[in-house]
Each structure stands twice: as structure tokens, then as C-alpha cells.
Amino acid sequence: MIPRDFNRALLWVCAAFAGGVLLHIDRMPAWAAGTALLLIGWRVWMLRARPWTPPVWVRALLALLVTAIVLARFHTLNGLSAGTTLLMLMAALKLLETRGPRDEVVLIAAALFLLLAACLDRQDLARTPLYALQTWLCCAALAGVAAPTLSARESGRLALRTLLVAAPLAVALFVFFPRLPGSFWAIPREGQALTGLSDSMTPGGISRLIADYEPAFRVKFAGEPPPVAQRYWRGPVLHDFDGRTWTRRSWAQHPRPALQFLGTPVAYRVTLEPTQQRWWFALDLPARAPSPQVTLTYDQQLLSAEPVSDAVSYEALSYLHARETGELSASARREDTLLPSGANPRSRALAQSLRAQAGSDAAFVQAALNYLAGGGFVYSLEPQPVGADMVDDLLFQTREGFCGHYASAFADLMRAAGIPARVVTGYLGGEWNPIGRYLVVRQSDAHAWTEVWLQGEGWTRVDPTAVVAPERLRRGMIDLMPQSFGASERLLHASPWMQQLLQRWDAANGWWTEKFVKFSFSTQLDLLARLGIRSPEARDLGWAFMAALLLWLAALGWHMGRNARAPRGDALARAYLRLCRKLSRAGAARAPHQGPRAFAAQIAAVRPQLVPHVQGLLERYTQLRYAPPGPDHAAAVLEFRRAVARLSLRRAAPA
Amino acid sequence: MNDAASPPDPAADAASLGRAVEVLETVILGKPVQIRLCLACLLARGHLLIEDVPGVGKTTLAHALAQVLGLAWQRVQFTSDLLPADIIGVSVFDRARQRFDFRQGPVFTQLLLADEVNRASPRTQSALLEAMEERQISADGTTYALPEPFFVVATQNPHEQLGTFALPESQLDRFLMRIHLGYPDAAHERALLRGGERREILAGIAPLLSPATMLRMQRSVRGLYVADALLDYVQALIARTRSQPELKLGLSPRAGQGLIRAAQAWAYLDRRSAVLPEDVQAVLPAVIAHRLEGREASARSGEELARELIEACAVPA
């Protein structure tokens, strides 16, 4: 016997609310999530007893306190994470005074809002089942509150059935509800870590990134992918060097060089993971900006007007080779040969002596590369620390480092000899996914290389890492330096079938992102065009949605009406009702209260010509329905059904 | 009794039942439905209440029934000074044997015609009603079983008339059916006026059935197959009377049982082995009209309510 005070609905509500909290558990300060879960646990523990309700001034004080703490931690109450945290804590406090269905509905609304916030925050394939589960949980809780007499199983089934009925409408909303382009839905997300490359490079910066196995972007090529050693993905270009750190100056403006592209272009589609930064990545060298909101800078970077806060997908076009025959402008030359005075004196002397020996700039570049190749330099992700004169320390003492060190040192040598040089950061390589036929570029593929200005050639890519560690060009970091990755990544990578599983999962994720997360206004219009609407626009989407809505309502109405008209009967009842419908169309409708004999008498009165066709059927029905069932009852029912199906009154007795 | 030796023959029983109907129709002119309802009531082992104004042939019908069915019958004219002992019987002291002997009253018969039952005092009425329900009499600590079959055919005048005690609902419920005879139509009334005295015709009726046949037929009626679909329908009807706000009381389970038995009897009279919704509908007004009461005084009669109930309740397919 369940005690009178036992409240099954509240248990559902607590479960739904806990689900909402758990969806945010990794994005939320631990103290906030912990407080909420503790309060939920306390309320479940007190489910059977009448819980103690703190006096109203205590509750008011708690609410103020929570607001103050959130304000102190986030410095705002606005935005996704601060707002979500505040809402969650307030809802948890609501548990202190939950007394009736009204309070329970408020808590379910909070749980639904937490679900919505989670959907805005992340849309991974892996989280989709969690969101579906949470939706179901909230619906079941609503059912539990609305009908407290339902058993847990019934509430769950009711919620599931309701969601299934609503699913077609959700699909219609997804497909046809106009997705207004722009950042209408975007919510400020403060406090979220920037990921990927940044606009500065310190010696340790890239090594931190390299241990990150997360995908940075995925690339699908229209034709054949470029050769492995040519997969340089261009990101931020850095010009300013202080002897240790390379930075990018955002204000510099120089005339755009007249590039002469060589060879055939490579067309591809990039799906970029959110970085909260403004760069878009393209294969070296991008030929044009892929979107109106992105500019192609003078140093061939793709720079977006807005930070990439959601996954973005774009078509790009690149050439693997280009030449620039003109002169470098004086201002650009000055900028890219500038060195901090007094820094790295030994390297400067080395550069000047090498330049003196070499006949030309090109020969000097080769000589510097030879110096790096033959100097016993080691590629290492954990080099010994370098001091303020990082280039001198690297070249003459530690002799170990990774791409950032070598690119930095090489650009320094070039500038020391008066050759314009700059550091380009980005990614190198990528992992080919044979299942999805695309390239995954991970954060661990982060790379830095150098570009030098050679008269008659223009900016030329020189990758000093390629001479120190030539295998880096062909292999990913995880093959090269597995020890710098976590155990789970190494394990996944080591077993071929695990790797294949991983690739499948990644392909599924890519498909999900492309088909669902990136389903946009333009995709909607394309869909309409494919449905046969010429020059579709937003209004057509509205009409299409209205049509889908009406269709759904009609289907729902038809289904409910049919259920109301005839409670689900057995095969015999269905066949009899079918016979009645046929007779009704022939002009002899059965009143609901008429039994079969009365109906037969009525047919004889109003449509005597029908009697020979249906008399026997009605008698058979009467026998099957009301007489004691014989051994061949099922067969007789089947035969009756067939006879009803065969019956055609239009042909037999035209009205 | 005398037929006990002859083998039970359902076809012969049905044939004699058909003849009985024909004969009754020659006595009570123009009332075929009421005649069949009376027979159905007796076949269903129920007691019958005939309600109408004086002089429309209530007593004649009851008399004819007893005659045709070959039953021993007694008639009691109910008056306001009738005592229970006048019906049940009385214990008389036998001087010779020095003990009390129970003298059986008129109730010890197979068909008791209780004329103008609503003229008797409630006490007498309830004595009769007890006998009807229990089919036995208790007097001086001894229980006497009533003969089999045992029917009560009661007649009553509408209780607006002077000097009557209306039967309470609990006692009305013990009558399986209540029927009205009503005035005959013009043609039948003319035949009635032209024809001879009814009592002479009655005297000339030979019994067509016997108590043994009657019992056998009652058993056959009770054995008629009732399909689940029919039970669904009856339950729907009953449930509707209980949920209808304009009714003071819904139908009792006893009314439901009676309804099914009466429908079985109706199907038997029609010589069918299956009980149909139409059978239920045919007997429904007679079975339930006296058990239904509208909430308002000016409400429709029980028969009207019963007809509305039939039309409002769908027959399951």
C-alpha cells in the first residue's frame, strides 16, 4: 500500500529535473551542479515524509544569495552559461517549497528549459539520444503530474505515444520552419575556451594543441584529394616577432599582390568545428573568399566577420602553386624584415655569414635548410626550455624543438639576412576517412611553417620542419609521437578495427553535422526547388509548413475520428462495419441502434433491390456473432470477410 | 406430471407453444405483442404485472393464460382489508389430534392471479412479494415450498385512483415485466362487441401445455446461448441508465439478469437458437419501464425512457 503522502508525480519531476542538470554537468561549475543534485536527492529522500519548508524570508534570502553568487562568478546574469546556472539553482531552490501540481509544472518547465539550453549549446550525434531521453522524461513527468493515478509504466507509455504522435509535426517544423539566416539564434557564450590556433605563437603554444585529438575540421574534395605532402591548411599568418613570440597585427593593410595561380584548382567543402575565433581554414593557397562575410586578406588568410561559434560549412577553391612576379611594397618589406634590436645576436651573425657565402636569396634559403638538416637537430614535442633569446638557444644549445621552434628560428634567420619572411600557422595533413571519403584534420595536426619573399617567385612556402623531421609530412602526429597522446587515443589508434570503428563514428558524425546540424535556410530553399517550386523564398516555406501542419492535423483527426466511431473490434466486427459502409453508400444506412435483423428489415423497406445481395450476408453475420460458435468459426469468419470484400452493390444493384 | 413419461421433444413443445399463442389471440383481440410478452415472461420464470384501467381485459388475459398453459390457478381479489393469512394460509388447531394444522392459502397454486394488487395494504402486498421472490412460505417455523412452476400475474389500476397503495420500487423490481393492454383499435373493438361473452370462450379453451412442458421449456429458455456481443450490448444499456442524469436510479443487476432471461424467452418464442439485440430491444420496455423513474415529476413515462434508451445505445458490431 502506498502511503497517502507518497507522491509519484514528484518522483518523476525530480527525475526530469535531475536529467536536465546532468545534461549540463560538464559545462557548469561543480558547486552549482552539486547543490542542485543535493537538493534533488534531499527531496527524493523526503518523498514519503511531509518535508520541512523553510520560512519565506529564508527562501527569499537564499534566492538573493544564489543570484549574488552567480553574479560574482560570471559577472553577468545574461548569456547561456550564467543564465542556465541561475535558472538551475533557482529551480533547485523551488524544490524546498514544492507542494502541489503547480510547483511541479514549474519544475518541469525548468527541466525543459535546461534541455533547450543544452540543445543550443551542443548538437553532437552522441548527445542526441540523451536529448531524446530527456524529452521523454519531461513528458512522462508532465503525464505523471496531470494524472497522478497513472502507474509509472502507464505514464511512460503515454509520454512515448504522445511523442510519437508529435514526431511528424517535429519533422515538418524541422524541414519547413524558415531558418532565418544570421545570428538570430546565437546566444553570447562567454567563458568558453577558445580552441585551435590563436593569433600568436609562443614556443610552447603549439605543443599544447598537438596533444589534442579533437577534430578541427573535415574536408570533402570534389575530385581527387591533393598529394599528402601538399596538404597545408592555411590559418593565421604572423608577422611581428619580439624574439620569442610571433603575433599577428590585425591593423596592417597592404596592397593585395597580383597572384598568378598555376596548375589546376582543387575544389572542396570544409566543415569547421566551432573555435570562437575568426579564422576559416583553406588549403594553401585559397583563391577566393568562400562567403560574403569572409574576407581574403592581403596575406591570403580567410578572416570572418564573426567568430565561429557554431559549426560552419563552406565551399572553397585553392591552387597548390602560385607565383607573384611584382615587387613587394616598401611598407610590407619593412614589416616582414623587422627584428627586435639586440635579440638573438648569434643567429643574426650566422645568417649574415651564410648569406655572404650564398650567391642569391634562393641559395641562402637552401643553405639555411642544409644547416638545419645537418646540425643534429631533433624533432621533439617536449624540448628543453629556451630563454628570452629563443632562436639562439635553439640553434646553438638545445637543438631540439618542434614545428613552432623551427619555423620561428628559420624566419628569424631569413629576416636577419634581410629577406622578408613570415610565419604561417595552420594544419598539416589530416586523416583520410575511407568510409565517408573525407579528410579529418585534427588539432593534433597543428603546424607552423615559414614563407619567404623571393624576387620573381613571390611568397614561397618553406617548411623547416620538413628537413628536421621529413616523416612529419607523410604521417600524423599520433604515428610520429604516440607518447604525447593520452592512453585511450593511443589504444584506439593502435588496433585497426578500433580505428575503423572510430572512422565510422566520425563519418556518422560528419553526416549528422552536414545533414542535420547544418540544415540551413539555403538547404531548405534547395529542397523546395527540388519539390518543384520555382524561385522559392521564405514565404513558400511558410506555406509548405502550413500544408504539412494541415496534413498532420487531418491525419490525427481522421485517426481519432475513426477510433471514436468504431471501438477497435475483432475481424468479424470490422467486416460487418465494412458491409454496413457499403450498404450506406448504396442508400441503406444502418442506425447505430439497429441490430442485424432490424437492419435487414429496413433494407427490405427502403432498398428492396438490395435484399437478394445482402440477405445471406446479414444472416451469416447474425449466426457468427450471436449463435454458439462452431468448430469452424474462424474459417467462417474468414469466408464472411471475403464475401463482404467481394460484394459490389454498385454493380449488383445500381441505385 | 402426466407428460413426464413422454420424451421431451423440442419441436413438439415449440409447436404447441405456437398454438397457444394463436388461441390466446382469439381471446384477447388485437394484442399480439402483449400476449407474446406475457408468455415470454412466464417462460423466463418471471412474474407479470399488468397495469391498466379497468375493463380492458386484464383478468381475462390472466385467466386465459392459466387455462391455455394447463396450470392450476387461483384468483385473489385484493382489497384493503385483505390480510397476509388470507393469501398464505393459516394454522388451525385440530382438536381431534391436539395440534395446529397449516391450512394452505390460495398462494399454493401454479398460477396466482392477484387482482388489483395495489388495493391491498402494504403488509399484505409484502407477504405476496416475499412468496414471489422466495417461492416458499414460512409459517409457524415451518417452511412450505410452493408448487413448480409458480407464477404471479398481478393486475393493478393506475395508482392515481382512489383507495390504492402504490407498490414501492423494491417490490416493483420483483416483477420481471410490466405490460399495458390499452384500448383495442376500432376493428378489434367491433369484433369484441359483436362477439360472445369472453368468459364462455375461456371456458371452452382446452389446455395446450402442461406444467411439465412449461418447466421443460423454461429450462430450454435458460439454456439458450448468449453471445459475448449480446452481453456487451446489455451492459452498455445498463451502464447508460446509471450514467444518465435525468434518471433517479439506474438499473439493478437483477434487472440486467431479467433482461437477458426475457430476451432468451423472446428468442425462444421466435424459435431461434441465438439471442439477438432485437430480442433485447423487444422486451426492454416491458422489463425496465417499471424500474425507471425520471428525476422530475413531469418527466416522461418509463416506456418513453426505455425507447429513448434503445435509440441512444449503439449495438456493438
Side-chain angles (χ1 to χ4, degrees), chain A residues 323-351:
Chain A
R323 184 189 296 154
E324 201 175 333
T325 46
E327 285 287 331
L328 190 63
S329 72
S331 61
R333 178 177 286 278
R334 193 164 51 249
E335 184 188 1
D336 285 333
T337 50
L338 208 63
L339 281 177
S341 55
N344 301 311
R346 290 180 69 190
S347 348
R348 197 169 295 195
L350 172 72

PDB file of all heavy atoms in Angstrom, chain A residues 323-351:
ATOM      1  N   ARG A 323      52.455  32.145 -58.279  1.00  0.00           N
ATOM      2  CA  ARG A 323      53.676  32.935 -58.463  1.00  0.00           C
ATOM      3  C   ARG A 323      53.281  34.391 -58.422  1.00  0.00           C
ATOM      4  O   ARG A 323      52.143  34.750 -58.762  1.00  0.00           O
ATOM      5  CB  ARG A 323      54.313  32.590 -59.814  1.00  0.00           C
ATOM      6  CG  ARG A 323      55.615  33.291 -60.047  1.00  0.00           C
ATOM      7  CD  ARG A 323      56.093  33.091 -61.448  1.00  0.00           C
ATOM      8  NE  ARG A 323      56.393  31.701 -61.746  1.00  0.00           N
ATOM      9  CZ  ARG A 323      56.331  31.204 -62.973  1.00  0.00           C
ATOM     10  NH1 ARG A 323      55.945  31.937 -63.996  1.00  0.00           N
ATOM     11  NH2 ARG A 323      56.632  29.939 -63.202  1.00  0.00           N
ATOM     12  N   GLU A 324      54.214  35.200 -57.958  1.00  0.00           N
ATOM     13  CA  GLU A 324      53.941  36.623 -57.858  1.00  0.00           C
ATOM     14  C   GLU A 324      55.166  37.319 -58.417  1.00  0.00           C
ATOM     15  O   GLU A 324      56.242  37.267 -57.829  1.00  0.00           O
ATOM     16  CB  GLU A 324      53.744  36.965 -56.383  1.00  0.00           C
ATOM     17  CG  GLU A 324      52.986  38.229 -56.128  1.00  0.00           C
ATOM     18  CD  GLU A 324      52.747  38.397 -54.641  1.00  0.00           C
ATOM     19  OE1 GLU A 324      52.704  37.375 -53.927  1.00  0.00           O
ATOM     20  OE2 GLU A 324      52.632  39.538 -54.189  1.00  0.00           O
ATOM     21  N   THR A 325      55.015  37.934 -59.571  1.00  0.00           N
ATOM     22  CA  THR A 325      56.201  38.469 -60.257  1.00  0.00           C
ATOM     23  C   THR A 325      56.482  39.907 -59.877  1.00  0.00           C
ATOM     24  O   THR A 325      57.559  40.417 -60.175  1.00  0.00           O
ATOM     25  CB  THR A 325      56.029  38.368 -61.783  1.00  0.00           C
ATOM     26  OG1 THR A 325      54.719  38.831 -62.104  1.00  0.00           O
ATOM     27  CG2 THR A 325      56.201  36.936 -62.242  1.00  0.00           C
ATOM     28  N   GLY A 326      55.576  40.581 -59.216  1.00  0.00           N
ATOM     29  CA  GLY A 326      55.738  42.011 -58.939  1.00  0.00           C
ATOM     30  C   GLY A 326      56.740  42.265 -57.814  1.00  0.00           C
ATOM     31  O   GLY A 326      57.447  41.374 -57.341  1.00  0.00           O
ATOM     32  N   GLU A 327      56.766  43.515 -57.408  1.00  0.00           N
ATOM     33  CA  GLU A 327      57.638  43.951 -56.324  1.00  0.00           C
ATOM     34  C   GLU A 327      56.865  43.913 -55.009  1.00  0.00           C
ATOM     35  O   GLU A 327      55.659  44.135 -55.005  1.00  0.00           O
ATOM     36  CB  GLU A 327      58.111  45.397 -56.581  1.00  0.00           C
ATOM     37  CG  GLU A 327      59.163  45.536 -57.647  1.00  0.00           C
ATOM     38  CD  GLU A 327      60.512  45.019 -57.176  1.00  0.00           C
ATOM     39  OE1 GLU A 327      60.768  45.074 -55.959  1.00  0.00           O
ATOM     40  OE2 GLU A 327      61.285  44.529 -58.025  1.00  0.00           O
ATOM     41  N   LEU A 328      57.570  43.652 -53.915  1.00  0.00           N
ATOM     42  CA  LEU A 328      56.950  43.760 -52.598  1.00  0.00           C
ATOM     43  C   LEU A 328      56.937  45.237 -52.218  1.00  0.00           C
ATOM     44  O   LEU A 328      57.945  45.933 -52.410  1.00  0.00           O
ATOM     45  CB  LEU A 328      57.765  42.948 -51.584  1.00  0.00           C
ATOM     46  CG  LEU A 328      57.129  42.761 -50.215  1.00  0.00           C
ATOM     47  CD1 LEU A 328      55.844  41.976 -50.320  1.00  0.00           C
ATOM     48  CD2 LEU A 328      58.086  42.064 -49.273  1.00  0.00           C
ATOM     49  N   SER A 329      55.797  45.702 -51.729  1.00  0.00           N
ATOM     50  CA  SER A 329      55.724  47.115 -51.374  1.00  0.00           C
ATOM     51  C   SER A 329      56.703  47.409 -50.232  1.00  0.00           C
ATOM     52  O   SER A 329      57.019  46.526 -49.427  1.00  0.00           O
ATOM     53  CB  SER A 329      54.298  47.470 -50.951  1.00  0.00           C
ATOM     54  OG  SER A 329      54.034  46.902 -49.697  1.00  0.00           O
ATOM     55  N   ALA A 330      57.141  48.645 -50.198  1.00  0.00           N
ATOM     56  CA  ALA A 330      58.174  49.020 -49.223  1.00  0.00           C
ATOM     57  C   ALA A 330      57.671  48.804 -47.798  1.00  0.00           C
ATOM     58  O   ALA A 330      58.402  48.305 -46.942  1.00  0.00           O
ATOM     59  CB  ALA A 330      58.566  50.476 -49.441  1.00  0.00           C
ATOM     60  N   SER A 331      56.425  49.153 -47.575  1.00  0.00           N
ATOM     61  CA  SER A 331      55.904  49.011 -46.207  1.00  0.00           C
ATOM     62  C   SER A 331      55.847  47.549 -45.795  1.00  0.00           C
ATOM     63  O   SER A 331      56.204  47.179 -44.675  1.00  0.00           O
ATOM     64  CB  SER A 331      54.520  49.651 -46.113  1.00  0.00           C
ATOM     65  OG  SER A 331      53.634  49.003 -47.009  1.00  0.00           O
ATOM     66  N   ALA A 332      55.433  46.700 -46.717  1.00  0.00           N
ATOM     67  CA  ALA A 332      55.347  45.276 -46.397  1.00  0.00           C
ATOM     68  C   ALA A 332      56.753  44.723 -46.173  1.00  0.00           C
ATOM     69  O   ALA A 332      56.983  43.924 -45.256  1.00  0.00           O
ATOM     70  CB  ALA A 332      54.654  44.527 -47.533  1.00  0.00           C
ATOM     71  N   ARG A 333      57.695  45.157 -47.011  1.00  0.00           N
ATOM     72  CA  ARG A 333      59.071  44.675 -46.847  1.00  0.00           C
ATOM     73  C   ARG A 333      59.602  45.082 -45.478  1.00  0.00           C
ATOM     74  O   ARG A 333      60.226  44.288 -44.774  1.00  0.00           O
ATOM     75  CB  ARG A 333      59.948  45.264 -47.966  1.00  0.00           C
ATOM     76  CG  ARG A 333      61.414  44.880 -47.866  1.00  0.00           C
ATOM     77  CD  ARG A 333      62.200  45.412 -49.025  1.00  0.00           C
ATOM     78  NE  ARG A 333      61.953  44.671 -50.264  1.00  0.00           N
ATOM     79  CZ  ARG A 333      62.559  43.528 -50.571  1.00  0.00           C
ATOM     80  NH1 ARG A 333      63.420  42.995 -49.735  1.00  0.00           N
ATOM     81  NH2 ARG A 333      62.306  42.916 -51.698  1.00  0.00           N
ATOM     82  N   ARG A 334      59.314  46.327 -45.092  1.00  0.00           N
ATOM     83  CA  ARG A 334      59.799  46.799 -43.799  1.00  0.00           C
ATOM     84  C   ARG A 334      59.196  45.948 -42.674  1.00  0.00           C
ATOM     85  O   ARG A 334      59.884  45.514 -41.766  1.00  0.00           O
ATOM     86  CB  ARG A 334      59.411  48.270 -43.632  1.00  0.00           C
ATOM     87  CG  ARG A 334      60.148  48.939 -42.471  1.00  0.00           C
ATOM     88  CD  ARG A 334      60.081  50.451 -42.543  1.00  0.00           C
ATOM     89  NE  ARG A 334      58.739  50.967 -42.718  1.00  0.00           N
ATOM     90  CZ  ARG A 334      58.309  51.571 -43.839  1.00  0.00           C
ATOM     91  NH1 ARG A 334      59.103  51.713 -44.890  1.00  0.00           N
ATOM     92  NH2 ARG A 334      57.078  52.034 -43.918  1.00  0.00           N
ATOM     93  N   GLU A 335      57.897  45.677 -42.801  1.00  0.00           N
ATOM     94  CA  GLU A 335      57.211  44.932 -41.741  1.00  0.00           C
ATOM     95  C   GLU A 335      57.783  43.526 -41.602  1.00  0.00           C
ATOM     96  O   GLU A 335      57.971  43.023 -40.498  1.00  0.00           O
ATOM     97  CB  GLU A 335      55.716  44.855 -42.068  1.00  0.00           C
ATOM     98  CG  GLU A 335      54.913  44.183 -40.984  1.00  0.00           C
ATOM     99  CD  GLU A 335      53.468  43.951 -41.402  1.00  0.00           C
ATOM    100  OE1 GLU A 335      53.109  44.298 -42.534  1.00  0.00           O
ATOM    101  OE2 GLU A 335      52.726  43.412 -40.578  1.00  0.00           O
ATOM    102  N   ASP A 336      58.056  42.896 -42.717  1.00  0.00           N
ATOM    103  CA  ASP A 336      58.444  41.483 -42.658  1.00  0.00           C
ATOM    104  C   ASP A 336      59.945  41.267 -42.582  1.00  0.00           C
ATOM    105  O   ASP A 336      60.406  40.133 -42.708  1.00  0.00           O
ATOM    106  CB  ASP A 336      57.859  40.752 -43.868  1.00  0.00           C
ATOM    107  CG  ASP A 336      56.363  40.532 -43.674  1.00  0.00           C
ATOM    108  OD1 ASP A 336      55.934  40.457 -42.507  1.00  0.00           O
ATOM    109  OD2 ASP A 336      55.638  40.458 -44.675  1.00  0.00           O
ATOM    110  N   THR A 337      60.711  42.346 -42.421  1.00  0.00           N
ATOM    111  CA  THR A 337      62.146  42.135 -42.157  1.00  0.00           C
ATOM    112  C   THR A 337      62.525  42.675 -40.792  1.00  0.00           C
ATOM    113  O   THR A 337      63.678  42.637 -40.408  1.00  0.00           O
ATOM    114  CB  THR A 337      63.006  42.847 -43.224  1.00  0.00           C
ATOM    115  OG1 THR A 337      62.547  44.191 -43.349  1.00  0.00           O
ATOM    116  CG2 THR A 337      62.905  42.150 -44.557  1.00  0.00           C
ATOM    117  N   LEU A 338      61.540  43.175 -40.081  1.00  0.00           N
ATOM    118  CA  LEU A 338      61.802  43.795 -38.784  1.00  0.00           C
ATOM    119  C   LEU A 338      62.206  42.748 -37.745  1.00  0.00           C
ATOM    120  O   LEU A 338      61.588  41.696 -37.642  1.00  0.00           O
ATOM    121  CB  LEU A 338      60.511  44.491 -38.326  1.00  0.00           C
ATOM    122  CG  LEU A 338      60.677  45.704 -37.403  1.00  0.00           C
ATOM    123  CD1 LEU A 338      61.439  46.805 -38.118  1.00  0.00           C
ATOM    124  CD2 LEU A 338      59.303  46.191 -36.983  1.00  0.00           C
ATOM    125  N   LEU A 339      63.269  43.060 -36.992  1.00  0.00           N
ATOM    126  CA  LEU A 339      63.688  42.159 -35.907  1.00  0.00           C
ATOM    127  C   LEU A 339      63.897  42.989 -34.658  1.00  0.00           C
ATOM    128  O   LEU A 339      64.323  44.148 -34.750  1.00  0.00           O
ATOM    129  CB  LEU A 339      64.987  41.444 -36.266  1.00  0.00           C
ATOM    130  CG  LEU A 339      64.877  40.252 -37.196  1.00  0.00           C
ATOM    131  CD1 LEU A 339      66.262  39.718 -37.496  1.00  0.00           C
ATOM    132  CD2 LEU A 339      64.008  39.170 -36.583  1.00  0.00           C
ATOM    133  N   PRO A 340      63.625  42.452 -33.516  1.00  0.00           N
ATOM    134  CA  PRO A 340      63.884  43.209 -32.290  1.00  0.00           C
ATOM    135  C   PRO A 340      65.379  43.456 -32.136  1.00  0.00           C
ATOM    136  O   PRO A 340      66.183  42.516 -32.319  1.00  0.00           O
ATOM    137  CB  PRO A 340      63.338  42.294 -31.184  1.00  0.00           C
ATOM    138  CG  PRO A 340      63.306  40.946 -31.792  1.00  0.00           C
ATOM    139  CD  PRO A 340      63.094  41.129 -33.256  1.00  0.00           C
ATOM    140  N   SER A 341      65.732  44.677 -31.816  1.00  0.00           N
ATOM    141  CA  SER A 341      67.161  45.000 -31.773  1.00  0.00           C
ATOM    142  C   SER A 341      67.814  44.293 -30.598  1.00  0.00           C
ATOM    143  O   SER A 341      67.262  44.249 -29.505  1.00  0.00           O
ATOM    144  CB  SER A 341      67.347  46.519 -31.660  1.00  0.00           C
ATOM    145  OG  SER A 341      66.622  46.965 -30.536  1.00  0.00           O
ATOM    146  N   GLY A 342      68.954  43.715 -30.843  1.00  0.00           N
ATOM    147  CA  GLY A 342      69.739  43.101 -29.775  1.00  0.00           C
ATOM    148  C   GLY A 342      69.352  41.693 -29.438  1.00  0.00           C
ATOM    149  O   GLY A 342      70.059  41.022 -28.690  1.00  0.00           O
ATOM    150  N   ALA A 343      68.220  41.189 -29.986  1.00  0.00           N
ATOM    151  CA  ALA A 343      67.826  39.829 -29.652  1.00  0.00           C
ATOM    152  C   ALA A 343      68.559  38.850 -30.562  1.00  0.00           C
ATOM    153  O   ALA A 343      68.868  39.181 -31.723  1.00  0.00           O
ATOM    154  CB  ALA A 343      66.321  39.679 -29.828  1.00  0.00           C
ATOM    155  N   ASN A 344      68.805  37.667 -30.068  1.00  0.00           N
ATOM    156  CA  ASN A 344      69.402  36.567 -30.820  1.00  0.00           C
ATOM    157  C   ASN A 344      70.637  36.978 -31.634  1.00  0.00           C
ATOM    158  O   ASN A 344      70.682  36.811 -32.847  1.00  0.00           O
ATOM    159  CB  ASN A 344      68.356  35.961 -31.763  1.00  0.00           C
ATOM    160  CG  ASN A 344      67.153  35.464 -30.973  1.00  0.00           C
ATOM    161  OD1 ASN A 344      67.299  34.757 -29.976  1.00  0.00           O
ATOM    162  ND2 ASN A 344      65.963  35.856 -31.420  1.00  0.00           N
ATOM    163  N   PRO A 345      71.649  37.522 -31.001  1.00  0.00           N
ATOM    164  CA  PRO A 345      72.804  38.032 -31.774  1.00  0.00           C
ATOM    165  C   PRO A 345      73.564  36.933 -32.520  1.00  0.00           C
ATOM    166  O   PRO A 345      73.990  37.141 -33.654  1.00  0.00           O
ATOM    167  CB  PRO A 345      73.678  38.666 -30.691  1.00  0.00           C
ATOM    168  CG  PRO A 345      73.239  38.052 -29.398  1.00  0.00           C
ATOM    169  CD  PRO A 345      71.803  37.702 -29.561  1.00  0.00           C
ATOM    170  N   ARG A 346      73.672  35.735 -31.935  1.00  0.00           N
ATOM    171  CA  ARG A 346      74.470  34.684 -32.573  1.00  0.00           C
ATOM    172  C   ARG A 346      73.797  34.212 -33.847  1.00  0.00           C
ATOM    173  O   ARG A 346      74.458  33.988 -34.862  1.00  0.00           O
ATOM    174  CB  ARG A 346      74.660  33.504 -31.620  1.00  0.00           C
ATOM    175  CG  ARG A 346      75.587  33.851 -30.453  1.00  0.00           C
ATOM    176  CD  ARG A 346      75.759  32.661 -29.543  1.00  0.00           C
ATOM    177  NE  ARG A 346      76.516  31.587 -30.165  1.00  0.00           N
ATOM    178  CZ  ARG A 346      76.645  30.362 -29.644  1.00  0.00           C
ATOM    179  NH1 ARG A 346      76.042  30.086 -28.508  1.00  0.00           N
ATOM    180  NH2 ARG A 346      77.354  29.439 -30.263  1.00  0.00           N
ATOM    181  N   SER A 347      72.511  34.087 -33.833  1.00  0.00           N
ATOM    182  CA  SER A 347      71.816  33.655 -35.031  1.00  0.00           C
ATOM    183  C   SER A 347      71.949  34.722 -36.115  1.00  0.00           C
ATOM    184  O   SER A 347      72.082  34.410 -37.297  1.00  0.00           O
ATOM    185  CB  SER A 347      70.334  33.402 -34.778  1.00  0.00           C
ATOM    186  OG  SER A 347      70.063  33.393 -33.430  1.00  0.00           O
ATOM    187  N   ARG A 348      71.891  35.976 -35.699  1.00  0.00           N
ATOM    188  CA  ARG A 348      71.990  37.042 -36.684  1.00  0.00           C
ATOM    189  C   ARG A 348      73.358  36.964 -37.383  1.00  0.00           C
ATOM    190  O   ARG A 348      73.439  37.044 -38.613  1.00  0.00           O
ATOM    191  CB  ARG A 348      71.822  38.391 -35.991  1.00  0.00           C
ATOM    192  CG  ARG A 348      71.492  39.502 -36.958  1.00  0.00           C
ATOM    193  CD  ARG A 348      71.063  40.741 -36.227  1.00  0.00           C
ATOM    194  NE  ARG A 348      69.820  40.560 -35.488  1.00  0.00           N
ATOM    195  CZ  ARG A 348      69.085  41.565 -35.002  1.00  0.00           C
ATOM    196  NH1 ARG A 348      69.481  42.809 -35.172  1.00  0.00           N
ATOM    197  NH2 ARG A 348      67.984  41.332 -34.344  1.00  0.00           N
ATOM    198  N   ALA A 349      74.399  36.708 -36.583  1.00  0.00           N
ATOM    199  CA  ALA A 349      75.748  36.593 -37.168  1.00  0.00           C
ATOM    200  C   ALA A 349      75.799  35.397 -38.106  1.00  0.00           C
ATOM    201  O   ALA A 349      76.342  35.484 -39.218  1.00  0.00           O
ATOM    202  CB  ALA A 349      76.778  36.441 -36.053  1.00  0.00           C
ATOM    203  N   LEU A 350      75.183  34.284 -37.685  1.00  0.00           N
ATOM    204  CA  LEU A 350      75.183  33.078 -38.522  1.00  0.00           C
ATOM    205  C   LEU A 350      74.488  33.364 -39.849  1.00  0.00           C
ATOM    206  O   LEU A 350      75.000  33.021 -40.918  1.00  0.00           O
ATOM    207  CB  LEU A 350      74.452  31.958 -37.791  1.00  0.00           C
ATOM    208  CG  LEU A 350      74.201  30.699 -38.607  1.00  0.00           C
ATOM    209  CD1 LEU A 350      75.496  29.933 -38.823  1.00  0.00           C
ATOM    210  CD2 LEU A 350      73.151  29.803 -37.954  1.00  0.00           C
ATOM    211  N   ALA A 351      73.337  34.037 -39.801  1.00  0.00           N
ATOM    212  CA  ALA A 351      72.583  34.322 -41.010  1.00  0.00           C
ATOM    213  C   ALA A 351      73.405  35.191 -41.941  1.00  0.00           C
ATOM    214  O   ALA A 351      73.467  34.936 -43.156  1.00  0.00           O
ATOM    215  CB  ALA A 351      71.279  35.026 -40.644  1.00  0.00           C
TER     216      ALA A 351
END
